Amino acid sequence: MKRAVSKSMLLWLLVLLIALLIPVIVANKFYMHTLILILFYAAVSGSWNILAGYAGQLSLGHAIFFGLGAYTSTLLFMTWGVSPWIGMCAALALCMLVGACIGYPCFRLKGPFFTLATLAFSEVIRLVASFWKELTNGAVGLNIPFQAGFSSLMFRGKEPYYYIALGILCLVIAVTYWIDRSKIGAYLIAIRENEEAADALGIPISRYKLYAVLISSGLAGITGVFYAQYILFIEPEAMFNVNFSVQVALISIIGGMGTVFGPVLGAVLMIPLNELLRSAFSGLNGLNFFLYGIVLILVVSFIPNGILPTLRGWLDKKRANRDSQPARAIPGTQKGGEQVDSAN
């Protein structure tokens, strides 16, 4: 067991080392932009996975927390000159508060009704942000003035953004790993599998669902702060877009819900595909979404549990078949205390 853990630890340390060296190897700006998007979407999808993959609460309103995080840091920075690093803390607190206010009443709903409720909240907040022009500047949006520096979270090159996105993703993975190995994760999985049975066992369902939404919404708010400082422009239609919530959910579903690295695998596969299709069919508006949708349908149809759980199941089955094969007798060895004659 210790040997397996050490091998796994060494493998992930090697992956982290390679990830740290990528900006030294890759000089192309388009490739660097794609890598940053992979890290960003893996982090957002990982935050969604905590609520949906572990707690079983399928939300389509994750853009609420992403957008709130972006607007919180941006307004603090543009109005009072507050550093986005401090804005991350404010966004974390606000998103957790809003997540609790939205999640607690929605937890009374189950299945598709919960999903529709989160979708409705997302649309309401998008409309409020669109018409509250005094605060958000409405559909015109907010252009963040460029001020290069670490304190402003703005850089002239893409390498610093890459490392910050990698750091945020490592934070999400670390939190997810802790949940996966802790009592919280066990309780959340029990709630996901059978809520009535979990309640009968004495698990405080509402409390642990609230833990999940607090962690999930807070991490999503942090990713929103990063995105705003990377793009330097935000507007309600983009920040509170339902399509964004759907894309984040699909990345986790394809990679494998309820796993630590499923969202990472989903982002590694789907984000480059989306970017390549968009660049290849730039003259045919919408064709990239059509092809992207076909890939999604095929994956969901043939691998409903996600790529990572399916791959693990296949490896476990192959290992079990190998271990179940009877050992072949070697000529000249002892068998039942007697010498085996190879001639017989």
Side-chain angles (χ1 to χ4, degrees), residues 57 103-118 121 195 209:
Q57 307 301 302
Y104 190 78
C106 288
F107 288 153
R108 300 177 181 272
L109 304 173
K110 297 180 181 180
F113 300 104
F114 175 84
T115 305
L116 291 174
T118 58
F121 271 110
E195 190 168 320
K209 283 184 178 180

Side-chain angles (χ1 to χ4, degrees), residues 29-258:
K29 291 185 177 180
F30 174 75
Y31 293 153
M32 281 300 301
H33 173 69
T34 303
L35 289 170
I36 292 171
L37 289 181
I38 291 173
L39 297 175
F40 162 72
Y41 275 101
V44 184
S45 183
S47 68
W48 180 87
N49 182 49
I50 294 172
L51 178 62
Y54 283 91
Q57 307 301 302
L58 297 176
S59 168
L60 287 182
H62 215 59
I64 296 173
F65 314 117
F66 167 72
L68 282 177
Y71 269 100
T72 300
S73 66
T74 299
L75 292 173
L76 289 175
F77 177 74
M78 295 180 64
T79 306
W80 292 292
V82 178
S83 170
W85 295 105
I86 301 176
M88 278 189 181
C89 300
L92 176 69
L94 179 61
C95 289
M96 291 176 73
L97 176 62
V98 174
C101 294
I102 293 176
Y104 190 78
C106 288
F107 288 153
R108 300 177 181 272
L109 304 173
K110 297 180 181 180
F113 300 104
F114 175 84
T115 305
L116 291 174
T118 58
L119 180 62
F121 271 110
S122 179
E123 282 297 292
V124 168
I125 292 181
R126 182 185 66 81
L127 292 174
V128 170
S130 298
F131 288 101
W132 197 351
K133 296 181 180 180
E134 295 79 6
L135 182 66
T136 65
N137 206 24
V140 178
L142 296 173
N143 285 297
I144 305 173
F146 182 78
Q147 301 175 14
F150 182 79
S151 61
S152 61
L153 195 54
M154 298 180 192
F155 310 96
R156 299 189 184 279
K158 293 188 178 297
E159 290 80 6
Y161 292 108
Y162 172 87
Y163 285 116
I164 294 172
L166 180 62
I168 295 174
L169 175 59
C170 288
L171 173 64
V172 174
I173 291 175
V175 172
T176 308
Y177 182 85
W178 169 73
I179 291 174
D180 189 72
R181 297 295 190 274
S182 67
K183 181 180 72 173
I184 294 178
Y187 283 0
L188 290 178
I189 292 174
I191 294 170
R192 178 193 69 191
E193 295 299 325
N194 194 322
E195 190 168 320
E196 289 75 14
D199 186 39
L201 291 172
I203 297 175
I205 294 175
S206 298
R207 184 198 306 174
Y208 280 91
K209 283 184 178 180
L210 187 60
Y211 290 161
V213 75
L214 289 176
I215 298 172
S216 178
S217 59
L219 292 175
I222 292 176
T223 62
V225 175
F226 168 79
Y227 186 83
Q229 298 304 117
Y230 180 60
I231 300 297
L232 298 180
F233 174 76
I234 60 174
E235 54 97 11
E237 186 62 35
M239 305 311 296
F240 300 102
N241 198 312
V242 176
N243 293 333
F244 175 81
S245 297
V246 173
Q247 186 175 14
V248 166
L250 287 175
I251 288 173
S252 187
I253 292 171
I254 289 171
M257 292 174 57

